[in-house]
């Protein structure tokens, strides 16, 4: 059986979870085995069924309201092993990155983190992932009986495949000591849209020349309903807050749309944004490395392009 681990925010399935559900369904069809899902937070079983999953293991424990990698690992492993799981698929997001190695050790399972394609199961189990910040693709063979794959965002578009989903309430044997952290409180750092989950992101680079010019980035984000981000160079000089810094040493994001304004596209920046579905680059320098990674590029001065873009987007939004 293939079991996918999915997550919700305020009862809604995350985009990354819809992608792993779609991936799990395709793998289950290819391997001709059953597919189920584990969700430790509240979610609508019919929405899970929409993506082809007929069994949902749901553990309702108020302590799962806040993520705890140690406790979640134990709960997922218990449910997975009790139900004859052979392949576990989970998202390669912040939580998935914390869970996958722990689950791998706990279940003695071979793991490929950040897979970027369906596995080739014709002769064994071979799966690929991007390496060297996306400059090369490596193939891995998993030999163990139980296998774990965490899926890079935007590998596969979410695709519905409706079926009826049965909920199987699942008890776990977690004691309070199985939780390694205690939730105290959370504060929204900025905006309404958390950057790590945003589907649209508008990002500022040093080409903006100063913090006083951030307005056009914020305006663009507001029109689109996007989150704002920035390069490290911009965060380092405090033009934008540090929690917006994306890249190798910042947040890794995979939105559907990433608009980079005045960012050169250094490899350390690309490491955190190159798995975005569509990249738009606005830069004065036609030789800027970012254009090589871009789907659409505008060679131009941000202060001229952005007001026109914002006006056009406003008109488009009606
Ligand atoms: C170990 C290490 C880790 C790092 N981690 C990260 C990381 O996580 N994230 C990150 O972002 N960086 C990271 N960096 C820094 C990275 O190497 C770059 O220095 C940084 O990304 C550059 O930011 P930038 O593109 O905003 O600025 P710049 O490199 O200064 O580029 C500015 C760009 O704006 C263009 N421009 C100038 N004026 C305009 C204008 N008026 N309109 C439009 N375009 C204009 C220029 O042509 C240029 O391409 C790291 C570096 C190291 C060594």
């Amino acid at each position: 059986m293939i079991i996918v681990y999915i997550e919700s925010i305020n009862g809604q399935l995350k985009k990354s979870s819809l992608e792993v559900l779609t991936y799990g369904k395709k793998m289950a069809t290819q391997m001709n085995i059953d597919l189920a899902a584990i969700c430790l937070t509240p979610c609508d079983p019919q929405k899970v069924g929409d993506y082809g999953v007929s069994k949902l293991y749901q553990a309702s424990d108020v302590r799962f309201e806040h993520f705890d990698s140690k406790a979640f690992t134990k709960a997922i492993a218990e449910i997975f092993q009790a139900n004859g799981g052979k392949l576990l698929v989970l998202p390669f997001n912040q939580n998935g990155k914390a869970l996958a190695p722990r689950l791998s050790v706990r279940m003695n399972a071979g793991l490929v983190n950040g897979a970027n394609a369906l596995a080739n199961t014709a002769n064994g189990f071979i799966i690929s992932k991007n390496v060297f910040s996306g400059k090369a693709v490596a193939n891995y063979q998993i030999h163990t009986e139980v296998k774990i794959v965490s899926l890079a965002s935007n590998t596969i578009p979410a695709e519905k495949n409706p079926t009826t989903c049965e909920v199987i309430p699942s008890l776990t044997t977690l004691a309070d000591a199985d939780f390694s952290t205690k939730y105290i409180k959370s504060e929204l750092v900025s905006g309404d849209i958390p950057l790590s989950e945003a589907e649209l992101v508008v990002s500022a680079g040093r080409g903006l020349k100063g913090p006083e010019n951030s307005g056009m980035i914020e305006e663009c984000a507001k029109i689109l309903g996007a989150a704002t981000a920035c390069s490290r160079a911009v965060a380092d000089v405090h033009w934008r807050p540090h929690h917006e810094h994306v890249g190798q040493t910042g947040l890794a994001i995979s939105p559907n749309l990433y608009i980079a304004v005045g960012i050169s596209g250094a490899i350390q920046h690309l490491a955190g944004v190159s798995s975005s579905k569509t990249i738009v680059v606005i830069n004065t320098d036609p030789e800027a490395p970012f254009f090589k990674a871009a789907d659409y590029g505008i060679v131009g001065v941000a202060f001229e392009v952005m007001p026109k873009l914002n006006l056009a987007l406003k008109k488009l939004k009606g």
Side-chain angles (χ1 to χ4, degrees):
M1 161 122 76
I2 298 178
I3 302 185
V4 297
Y5 166 71
I6 54 174
E7 300 175 316
S8 63
I9 299 183
N10 301 328
Q12 302 293 318
L13 291 173
K14 291 184 181 177
K15 170 178 171 264
S16 54
S17 292
L18 302 183
E19 292 175 359
V20 291
L21 285 167
T22 306
Y23 185 91
K25 180 66 188 167
K26 287 190 186 295
M27 284 306 304
T29 307
Q30 179 180 314
M31 295 166 75
N32 197 21
I33 56 175
D34 290 337
L35 174 66
I38 298 175
C39 194
L40 301 181
T41 44
C43 72
D44 177 359
Q46 195 43 54
K47 286 265 158 30
V48 178
D50 282 350
Y51 290 86
V53 175
S54 51
K55 266 186 201 160
L56 172 65
Y57 300 109
Q58 218 163 17
S60 53
D61 184 327
V62 285
R63 295 173 301 175
F64 292 148
E65 196 183 334
H66 301 287
F67 182 76
D68 180 294
S69 56
K70 188 179 164 201
F72 274 46
T73 298
K74 190 171 179 200
I76 295 167
E78 274 183 14
I79 299 171
F80 183 83
Q81 289 174 321
N83 293 286
K86 289 283 173 265
L87 170 63
L88 176 68
V89 184
L90 63 171
F92 187 53
N93 59 8
Q94 247 172 322
N95 294 351
K97 284 176 194 172
L99 291 169
R102 289 169 183 265
L103 286 159
S104 167
V105 172
R106 192 175 183 101
M107 303 198 296
N108 197 18
L111 161 69
V112 170
N113 253 332
N116 67 1
L118 292 173
N120 180 346
T121 49
N123 189 9
F125 191 99
I126 298 171
I127 193 155
S128 61
K129 63 178 269 185
N130 290 341
V131 289
F132 303 121
S133 301
K135 291 217 175 299
V137 174
N139 287 325
Y140 292 85
Q141 180 156 23
I142 305 184
H143 297 289
T144 48
E145 194 194 342
V146 173
K147 301 168 178 61
I148 303 179
V149 168
S150 73
L151 182 69
S153 300
N154 291 329
T155 291
I156 197 162
E159 192 180 296
K160 288 193 177 174
N161 203 326
T163 189
T164 311
C165 182
E166 178 195 359
V167 179
I168 301 171
S170 302
L171 292 174
T172 58
T173 60
L174 266 65
D176 281 349
D178 289 319
F179 288 76
S180 55
T181 50
K182 182 168 180 277
Y183 173 78
I184 298 170
K185 68 167 186 171
S186 49
E187 278 171 42
L188 201 59
V189 277
S190 84
D192 294 331
I193 305 154
L195 183 53
S196 56
E197 294 300 326
E199 298 206 0
L200 309 171
V201 174
V202 188
S203 191
R206 204 148 49 180
L208 284 191
K209 313 291 185 203
E212 64 281 7
N213 297 319
S214 288
M216 55 192 184
I217 300 294
E218 284 162 3
E219 190 187 354
C220 184
K222 198 168 169 206
I223 301 166
L224 287 172
T228 47
C230 68
S231 68
R232 175 168 152 176
V234 160
D236 280 351
V237 291
H238 308 294
W239 293 356
R240 301 287 310 166
H242 262 293
H243 61 79
E244 287 192 359
H245 151 206
V246 290
Q248 184 186 312
T249 46
L251 208 58
I253 55 170
S254 311
N256 283 338
L257 176 67
Y258 183 74
I259 303 179
V261 187
I263 304 178
S264 58
I267 190 158
Q268 297 90 352
H269 186 83
L270 289 176
V273 302
S274 60
S275 61
S276 305
K277 202 165 176 185
T278 303
I279 296 178
V280 177
V281 170
I282 299 166
N283 197 304
T284 44
D285 177 7
E287 301 297 323
F290 222 149
F291 283 118
K292 289 202 177 80
D295 297 284
Y296 301 95
I298 300 173
V299 178
V301 179
F303 313 108
E304 290 169 12
V305 176
M306 287 308 288
K308 288 182 188 159
L309 180 66
N310 288 345
L311 199 64
L313 288 171
K314 260 189 208 157
K315 277 192 190 152
L316 193 72
K317 290 270 174 176

